[in-house]
C-alpha cells in the first residue's frame, strides 16, 4: 500500500496535535548535532511533521575533506521498520562544495565535495517525514517507543561529541562511605573508572568510581563508589561524563500504537434521496486493550450526507461495546460506548449503515467516515469510503434475446453519461479508468469499443487521445478503458460491439458488445458490472471503485427438446406387471443431443404432506422387461442401451442440478447415453418402449408422472419434461370386438362371420379390438377345440399385448379336420369383472 495512502486520521485529537507542536518546538541537541523531532508517528502512518537534522563541525577543519554523513533510523527495539518520506532539503555553505542528500528506506546520506579549513561549517537537512510500518499493511510493525538514530560516515567524527553521559538508577542504598552498589544502566554508554566523577540526582555528592564492572545481561552494572559526604536512596539517578561510546544522536520521534480503519461494501448513492444503503466500517486494534473504556465516534463526510438511522454494532474479540451506534443530534456522526477494554485483540464494526444524501452533494463525491476516540486514539486508514455519490448515469438501449450455445450475438447498447463536466479525470485522477465485467458466464466474442458521442472527453488510444477506442482485456470476461483528458462539457460514452471485420458497430439499440453464450448457462438476464475509479481499483474489481450492475440481454434456449408420452393406459394398484405407454424424446434443432449427454428417466414419487412415497417401480428383473431404446436411423442419432440403476448425482427428483437432495429411487429410474448426435437435415428422435411397471397395493389412484431430464454433457442442450404414460386406477369393463379373415394379416376381408373355412396348412388371422382403453394392456388368448363333435375348453393358449390402438392380433394355421374358436379375455377390469370378446370359429379342411 502506498505510504501516502496511509495518513493519520483527521480524528486525531486536538490534545495530541498540541503535544506534537510542543515536541517540535523543543529540539534535542547533542554536542555538535541537533535534531528537531517529528513528534509522534502512529504505526501505519506518515508523521504530520518533518524532522530537521543539523550537523556542526566540532572545530575548524574537523571536516577533513569531502565525505559523507549517514543517518540511520530504527525503532525502539532496533528493528528496520521505519522509512524516510519526502524530499530532503539541504542548507549548507558553499565552502562544502556541491552538498547533496538522498534517502533510501531508513537511511539518509549527505555527501560533500569540498571543505573550509579556516571556518566552522554547518549542514542542515529538513523536509523529511517518517513512516512507521504496520503489520496489517507491511507485514511487520514498528516497535512503539523512541526512535533510535545513529550517525556514521567519513565526516561523522567531525560532528559527534567526544563525550557522552552515562546514566543509571541505584538498585540499593549507597551509604556515605565507600561501597559497591548495582546500577541499572539506562544510557548507551556504561560508567567508567577513568572518567569524570559521578553525581547524584537527590543530593549533590560528587564521587569517583574506583571499580566499574561491565553490565550484566539485565543491564545492571556493579559500581564501586569512593566515599562521599551523603547517603543516596534506592532509585536515585546517577550520571557520569564518559568517552562517547556510540554513534547515537537525538531521537527524531516516537512510534505510537494505532487502530486500523477499513471499510467494505461501498455502494453508489444518489443525491436527493434518503435511506440509501452504504458499506460498513471496521476499527481493529493492533494491540489488546489499546481502545480504552470510553467512546468511539464515527463522523460522516462530506457535508449534507447524514445517517438515516442508528447503525448496528458488531465486534470480534472480547472488547465491551453496545449493540447500537447512537446518533448525534445533527445525524452527522454516531457514537459507540466502550464499556471495557479488551484483553485480546478486538475489532468494532458499524454496519447496516443507511444514508440521507442532500440534493446539493456533488456527483462523484466519496462518502467517508472518520473515527476518533475518547480517550484519544491514533487511526491508520486502510480505507474509509462507504459510498460514492451518483457518478455516472448508466443507460441500456435494449434487452434482446440471446440464445444459449450460440456465439457472436447482438446485445443492447450501453451508455455512460457524466452528471457533470470533468467527472472522468485524465492522468492519475480518481476516476481515470472505467470498465465492463460480465458476471453471468457469457464472454466477449470480440473486444468492444468505447465511443464518445457527445462532449469533449478524450480516451487513451496508444499514447494519444481519441474518441473511439477498443477496450483492453482484463481477464477472460472484463475490459477497461483509460481517460486521456477530462471533459469541459458533460460527455456520453457508448460501449459498442464490433463486426467480423473488426469495425466498430454504428450506434443503435442493438449495437452493444457481441457475446458468446456457452451451453451450460441457464435462461435469465445477461448482467455486467460497470466500474469507475482508479485504474488499480477497476482492475481489481474492488469496493473502492464505483460499480453498477446492468442487464443488456436475456438468455434463452432457441428451441427445446420435446418429450411426449404416446399413450396413457390405466394400470391397477398392486399390479406386478403392467405395460406403460411409450415415450419419445425429440430434437427441434440439429445438435441438441450431443455425444456424452446422459438422459435420465425417473418415475416420480407421490408427495403428500411433505412425505415422498414411491408407489410405482420399473420391472427390470429379466432382460425382456427392460425398456427398449430405438432412434430414427435416418438422423444418424445413436444411443446406449438402458442402464438400471444409472441416474447419477446430477439428476435430482426436483430437476437437474437441484439443490434439494432427493436422488431418483434406484428402482424407479434408468439412464441412457447419447453415443452419436444427429446429422444432416433429419432431427433426432429417441423412442422408449417396453416400459413395464410394478405398483404397490396401496398406490394412490391418479396419473403416473415420469420426469425425463438431459444434462449438458458434451455441450448438449439441457432439458427437463414431466409427462404421464400411465395412470393408476380401477379399469372399466372394455367392449372387445372380434373379427377374422383368411391369410396372414390381410389388409381386408375381416368380418364377424364364423367359422372361417380355410385349407389345411393355411393361416387365419383374428383381430380383437378394445380401443384406447385396451392400448398397452396384456390379454389372455383362450382356445376351444371341437373333438368328435364335442367342444372342449375354452383353455388358456397364450398371452398377448394390445398395441397402441388397442388391437390384439393372433394368427394361426392347422391341419385338416381341425375345428376351433378363439376369444380374448382381459383380466384387468377390477370390480367389474373380466372383459371377454366374442368367440370366432375356424375350420381347416
Amino acid at each position: 500500500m502506498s505510504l501516502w495512502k496511509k495518513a493519520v486520521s483527521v480524528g486525531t485529537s486536538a490534545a495530541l496535535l498540541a503535544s506534537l507542536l510542543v515536541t517540535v518546538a523543543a529540539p534535542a541537541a547533542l554536542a555538535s548535532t541537533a535534531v528537531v523531532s517529528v513528534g509522534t508517528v502512529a504505526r501505519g502512518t506518515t508523521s504530520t511533521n518533518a524532522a530537521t537534522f543539523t550537523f556542526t563541525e566540532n572545530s575548524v577543519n574537523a571536516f577533513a575533506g569531502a565525505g559523507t554523513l549517514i543517518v540511520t533510523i530504527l525503532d525502539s527495539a532496533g528493528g528496520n521498520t521505519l522509512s524516510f518520506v519526502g524530499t530532503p532539503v539541504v542548507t549548507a555553505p558553499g565552502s562544502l562544495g556541491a552538498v547533496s542528500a538522498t534517502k533510501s528506506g531508513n537511511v539518509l546520506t549527505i555527501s560533500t565535495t569540498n571543505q573550509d579549513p579556516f571556518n566552522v561549517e554547518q549542514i542542515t537537512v529538513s523536509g523529511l517525514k517518517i513512516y512507521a510500518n504496520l503489520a496489517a499493511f507491511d507485514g511487520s510493525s514498528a516497535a512503539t517507543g523512541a526512535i533510535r538514530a545513529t550517525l556514521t560516515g567519513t565526516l561523522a567524527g567531525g560532528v559527534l561529541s567526544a563525550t557522552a553521559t552515562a546514566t543509571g538508577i541505584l538498585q540499593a542504598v549507597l551509604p556515605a562511605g565507600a561501597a559497591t552498589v548495582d546500577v541499572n544502566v539506562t544510557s548507551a554508554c556504561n560508567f567508567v573508572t577513568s572518567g569524570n566523577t559521578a553525581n547524584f540526582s537527590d543530593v549533590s555528592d560528587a564521587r569517583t568510581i574506583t571499580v566499574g564492572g561491565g553490565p550484566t545481561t539485565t543491564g545492571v552494572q556493579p559500581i564501586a563508589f569512593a566515599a562521599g559526604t551523603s547517603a543516596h536512596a534506592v532509585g536515585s539517578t546517577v550520571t557520569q561524563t564518559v568517552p562517547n561510546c556510540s554513534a547515537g544522536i537525538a531521537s527524531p520521534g516516537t512510534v505510537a500504537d494505532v487502530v486500523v480503519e477499513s471499510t467494505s461494501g461501498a455502494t453508489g448513492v444518489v443525491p436527493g434521496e434518503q435511506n440509501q444503503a452504504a458499506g460498513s466500517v471496521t476499527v481493529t486494534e493492533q494491540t489488546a486493550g489499546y481502545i480504552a473504556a470510553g467512546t468511539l465516534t464515527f463522523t460522516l463526510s462530506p457535508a449534507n450526507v447524514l445517517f438515516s438511522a442508528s447503525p448496528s454494532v458488531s465486534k470480534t474479540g472480547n472488547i465491551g461495546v453496545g449493540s447500537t451506534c447512537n446518533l448525534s443530534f445533527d445525524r452527522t456522526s454516531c457514537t459507540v460506548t466502550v464499556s471495557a477494554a479488551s484483553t485480546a485483540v478486538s475489532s468494532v464494526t458499524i454496519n447496516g449503515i443507511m444514508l440521507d444524501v442532500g440534493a446539493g452533494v456533488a456527483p462523484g463525491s466519496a462518502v467517508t467516515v472518520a473515527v476518533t476516540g475518547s480517550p484519544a486514539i491514533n487511526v491508520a486508514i486502510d480505507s474509509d469510503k462507504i459510498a460514492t455519490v451518483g457518478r455516472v448515469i448508466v443507460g441500456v438501449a435494449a434487452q434482446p434475446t440471446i440464445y444459449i450455445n450460440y456465439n457472436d450475438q447482438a446485445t443492447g447498447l450501453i451508455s455512460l453519461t457524466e452528471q457533470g463536466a470533468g467527472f472522468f479525470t485524465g492522468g492519475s485522477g480518481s476516476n481515470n479508468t472505467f470498465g465492463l465485467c460480465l458476471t453471468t458466464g457469457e464472454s466477449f466474442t470480440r473486444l468492444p469499443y468505447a465511443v464518445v458521442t457527445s462532449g469533449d472527453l478524450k480516451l487513451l488510444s496508444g499514447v494519444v487521445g481519441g474518441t473511439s477506442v477498443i477496450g483492453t482485456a482484463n481477464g477472460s470476461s472484463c475490459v477497461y478503458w483509460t481517460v486521456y483528458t477530462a471533459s469541459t462539457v458533460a460527455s456520453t460514452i457508448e460501449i459498442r460491439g464490433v463486426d467480423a471485420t473488426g469495425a466498430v458497430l454504428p450506434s443503435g439499440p442493438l449495437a452493444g458488445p457481441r457475446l458468446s453464450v456457452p451451453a451450460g448457462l441457464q435462461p435469465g438476464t445477461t448482467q455486467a458490472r460497470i466500474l469507475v475509479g482508479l485504474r488499480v481499483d477497476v482492475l481489481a474489481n474492488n469496493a473502492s471503485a464505483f460499480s453498477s450492475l446492468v442487464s443488456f440481454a436475456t438468455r434463452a434456449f432457441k428451441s427445446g427438446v420435446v418429450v411426449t408420452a404416446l399413450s396413457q393406459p390405466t394400470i391397477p394398484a398392486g399390479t406386478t406387471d403392467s405395460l406403460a405407454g411409450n415415450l419419445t424424446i425429440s430434437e427441434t434443432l440439429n445438435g441438441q443431443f450431443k455425444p456424452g449427454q446422459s438422459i435420465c428417466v425417473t418415475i416420480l414419487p407421490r408427495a403428500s404432506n411433505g412425505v415422498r412415497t414411491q408407489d410405482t417401480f420399473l420391472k427390470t428383473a429379466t432382460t425382456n422387461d427392460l425398456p427398449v431404446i430405438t432412434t430414427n436411423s435416418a438422423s444418424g442419432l445413436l444411443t446406449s442401451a438402458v442402464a438400471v440403476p444409472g441416474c447419477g448425482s446430477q439428476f435430482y427428483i426436483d430437476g437437474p442440478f437441484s439443490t434439494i437432495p432427493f436422488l431418483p429411487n434406484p428402482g424407479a429410474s434408468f439412464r441412457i447415453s447419447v453415443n452419436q448426435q444427429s446429422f444432416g437435415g433429419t432431427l433426432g428422435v429417441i423412442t422408449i418402449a417396453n416400459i413395464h411397471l410394478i405398483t404397490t397395493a396401496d398406490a394412490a389412484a391418479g396419473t403416473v408422472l415420469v420426469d425425463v431430464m438431459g444434462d449438458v454433457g458434451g455441450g448438449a442442450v439441457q432439458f427437463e419434461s414431466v409427462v404421464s404414460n400411465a395412470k393408476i386406477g380401477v379399469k372399466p369393463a372394455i367392449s372387445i370386438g372380434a373379427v377374422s379373415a383368411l391369410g396372414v394379416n390381410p389388409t381386408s376381408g375381416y368380418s364377424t362371420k364364423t367359422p372361417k373355412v380355410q385349407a389345411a396348412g393355411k393361416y387365419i388371422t383374428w383381430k380383437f379390438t378394445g380401443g384406447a382403453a385396451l392400448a398397452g394392456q396384456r390379454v389372455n388368448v383362450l382356445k376351444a377345440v371341437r373333438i368328435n363333435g364335442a367342444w372342449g375348453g375354452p383353455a388358456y393358449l397364450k398371452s398377448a399385448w394390445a398395441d397402441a390402438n388397442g388391437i390384439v392380433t393372433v394368427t394361426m394355421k392347422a391341419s385338416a379336420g381341425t375345428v376351433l374358436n378363439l376369444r380374448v379375455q382381459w383380466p384387468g377390469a377390477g370390480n367389474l369383472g373380466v372383459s371377454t370378446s366374442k368367440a370366432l370359429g375356424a375350420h381347416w379342411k
Side-chain angles (χ1 to χ4, degrees):
M1 177 172 291
S2 166
L3 300 182
W4 293 107
K5 188 175 181 181
K6 305 165 193 169
V8 175
S9 167
V10 293
T12 304
S13 70
L16 179 58
L17 290 174
S19 69
L20 291 175
L21 295 175
V22 169
T23 303
V24 171
L30 178 62
S32 297
T33 68
V35 178
V36 176
S37 170
V38 299
T40 298
V41 53
R43 295 192 294 189
T45 72
T46 299
S47 63
T48 302
N49 304 300
T52 300
F53 298 91
T54 300
F55 306 104
T56 306
E57 280 184 299
N58 288 328
S59 61
V60 172
N61 205 27
F63 289 162
T68 58
L69 294 170
I70 302 172
V71 178
T72 303
I73 55 174
L74 302 170
D75 63 26
S76 62
N80 183 11
T81 58
L82 306 171
S83 53
F84 288 111
V85 177
T87 302
V89 178
V90 178
T91 302
S95 57
L96 290 171
V99 181
S100 62
T102 59
K103 64 171 177 59
S104 177
N106 65 327
V107 177
L108 168 65
T109 301
I110 305 163
S111 300
T112 65
T113 59
N114 210 334
Q115 63 143 168
D116 181 350
F118 306 108
N119 296 290
V120 171
E121 296 168 301
Q122 185 179 76
I123 302 172
T124 299
V125 179
S126 59
L128 289 177
K129 299 180 179 182
I130 296 175
Y131 172 77
N133 282 8
L134 177 64
F137 298 158
D138 310 294
S140 62
S141 291
T144 57
I147 297 172
R148 300 184 185 181
T150 60
L151 181 65
T152 58
T154 58
L155 302 182
V159 296
L160 288 173
S161 173
T163 61
T165 300
T167 305
I169 299 173
L170 294 179
Q171 302 298 293
V173 173
L174 175 62
T180 299
V181 176
D182 285 344
V183 176
N184 183 23
V185 178
T186 58
S187 59
C189 297
N190 294 327
F191 292 85
V192 297
T193 57
S194 60
N196 296 314
T197 56
N199 287 281
F200 302 89
S201 60
D202 53 349
V203 177
S204 177
D205 181 25
R207 299 193 191 195
T208 59
I209 296 176
T210 59
V211 178
T216 67
T217 55
T218 59
V220 175
Q221 183 180 6
I223 298 177
F225 292 95
T229 59
S230 301
H232 302 282
V234 174
S236 297
T237 299
V238 57
T239 59
Q240 181 190 26
T241 300
V242 298
N244 194 355
C245 66
S246 75
I249 59 176
S251 172
T254 301
V255 176
D257 205 354
V258 73
V259 296
V260 175
E261 177 188 1
S262 60
T263 58
S264 63
T267 63
V269 293
V270 179
E273 294 189 12
Q274 301 183 351
N275 299 309
Q276 302 179 78
S280 61
V281 183
T282 299
V283 176
T284 304
E285 292 180 310
Q286 305 304 293
T287 305
Y290 179 68
I291 301 176
T295 59
L296 292 173
T297 299
F298 300 80
T299 303
L300 290 171
S301 181
N304 296 320
V305 177
L306 311 175
F307 286 110
S308 305
S310 294
S312 58
V313 177
S314 60
K315 69 175 183 178
T316 64
N318 62 355
I319 190 171
V321 292
S323 60
T324 303
C325 190
N326 299 305
L327 291 185
S328 63
F329 181 77
D330 60 4
R331 294 192 289 136
T332 60
S333 66
C334 72
T335 299
V336 176
T337 298
V338 180
S339 59
S342 68
T343 58
V345 172
S346 300
S347 67
V348 178
T349 300
I350 63 168
N351 42 45
I353 299 174
M354 305 294 287
L355 300 177
D356 294 351
V357 183
V361 178
S365 299
V367 179
T368 60
V369 176
V371 183
T372 56
S374 179
I377 57 173
N378 299 315
V379 180
I381 299 173
D382 182 20
S383 61
D384 61 357
K385 184 172 73 171
I386 60 171
T388 302
V389 179
R391 294 191 167 194
V392 291
I393 300 171
V394 180
V396 175
Q399 185 99 3
T401 298
I402 57 177
Y403 297 111
I404 297 167
N405 205 23
Y406 285 82
N407 298 325
D408 200 8
Q409 301 179 78
T411 64
L413 180 71
I414 300 171
S415 62
L416 311 177
T417 303
E418 293 180 300
Q419 287 188 334
F423 163 70
F424 287 111
T425 57
S428 59
S430 59
N431 298 329
N432 68 336
T433 305
F434 62 92
L436 179 71
C437 281
L438 301 171
T439 62
T440 46
E442 299 85 352
S443 61
F444 296 112
T445 306
R446 291 172 288 274
L447 290 175
Y449 270 71
V451 181
V452 179
T453 58
S454 66
D456 56 356
L457 182 72
K458 293 291 189 299
L459 306 177
L460 182 64
S461 178
V463 295
V464 298
T467 58
S468 181
V469 178
I470 192 169
T472 299
N474 178 27
S476 61
S477 59
C478 294
V479 63
Y480 71 94
W481 294 266
T482 302
V483 177
Y484 184 70
T485 56
S487 66
T488 59
V489 177
S491 301
T492 295
I493 303 166
E494 292 182 352
I495 299 178
R496 302 186 201 165
V498 296
D499 64 20
T501 70
V504 62
L505 297 174
S507 184
L510 300 181
R514 306 284 294 190
L515 298 185
S516 296
V517 186
L521 298 188
Q522 300 293 323
T525 57
T526 292
Q527 298 179 17
R529 187 176 299 280
I530 303 293
L531 298 163
V532 181
L534 287 169
R535 184 174 184 271
V536 64
D537 294 329
V538 170
L539 296 188
N541 194 6
N542 67 26
S544 296
F546 164 81
S547 64
S548 175
L549 275 176
V550 297
S551 174
F552 56 109
T554 301
R555 294 185 309 278
F557 290 114
K558 191 166 188 178
S559 183
V561 173
V562 176
V563 180
T564 304
L566 298 184
S567 63
Q568 190 192 36
T570 300
I571 61 175
T575 183
T576 59
D577 191 352
S578 292
L579 198 63
N582 294 349
L583 302 173
T584 59
I585 310 171
S586 305
E587 288 182 309
T588 56
L589 290 171
N590 278 121
Q592 290 177 329
F593 296 133
K594 295 284 188 183
Q597 182 180 31
S598 290
I599 298 173
C600 180
V601 179
T602 302
I603 301 172
L604 295 179
R606 169 167 51 96
S608 177
N609 298 324
V611 178
R612 298 170 184 264
T613 303
Q614 195 75 44
D615 287 337
T616 307
F617 300 86
L618 290 164
K619 185 173 186 288
T620 58
T622 65
T623 303
N624 287 338
D625 290 330
L626 287 172
V628 175
I629 312 299
T630 59
T631 58
N632 56 332
S633 58
S635 70
L637 177 66
L638 294 174
T639 71
S640 69
V642 165
V644 179
C647 295
S649 61
Q650 75 268 40
F651 297 109
Y652 288 91
I653 287 174
D654 298 284
F657 309 97
S658 167
T659 58
I660 303 175
F662 289 104
L663 282 169
N665 189 302
S669 68
F670 61 88
R671 177 178 60 85
I672 61 176
S673 299
V674 177
N675 294 337
Q676 178 175 282
Q677 72 184 74
S678 62
F679 50 82
T682 303
L683 301 176
V685 178
I686 300 170
T687 299
I688 305 175
N690 199 47
I691 304 173
H692 293 257
L693 301 181
I694 301 170
T695 60
T696 60
D698 61 347
T703 55
V704 175
L705 298 179
V706 180
D707 194 301
V708 183
M709 296 178 279
D711 67 12
V712 295
V717 171
Q718 181 179 306
F719 66 89
E720 179 183 20
S721 290
V722 176
V723 296
S724 176
N725 66 338
K727 57 184 177 181
I728 300 173
V730 176
K731 296 180 179 181
I734 298 174
S735 175
I736 303 175
V739 293
S740 61
L742 300 178
V744 178
N745 291 321
T747 58
S748 62
Y750 290 96
S751 71
T752 58
K753 180 182 177 181
T754 185
K756 294 291 192 303
V757 180
Q758 178 63 293
K762 299 291 186 179
Y763 285 92
I764 297 175
T765 299
W766 285 262
K767 284 188 180 292
F768 302 96
T769 304
L774 193 62
Q777 302 297 309
R778 184 195 297 270
V779 299
N780 296 323
V781 181
L782 306 179
K783 178 179 73 171
V785 180
R786 189 174 69 180
I787 302 174
N788 297 326
W791 287 95
Y796 174 81
L797 175 63
K798 65 176 182 178
S799 64
W801 292 95
D803 65 15
N805 297 313
I807 299 174
V808 178
T809 302
V810 181
T811 301
M812 290 185 65
K813 66 179 179 178
S815 58
T818 301
V819 179
L820 57 77
N821 63 52
L822 295 183
R823 70 181 65 187
V824 296
Q825 187 180 71
W826 177 54
N831 296 331
L832 298 177
V834 297
S835 298
T836 305
S837 71
K838 178 183 177 181
L840 292 182
H843 185 188
W844 282 270
K845 292 185 178 181

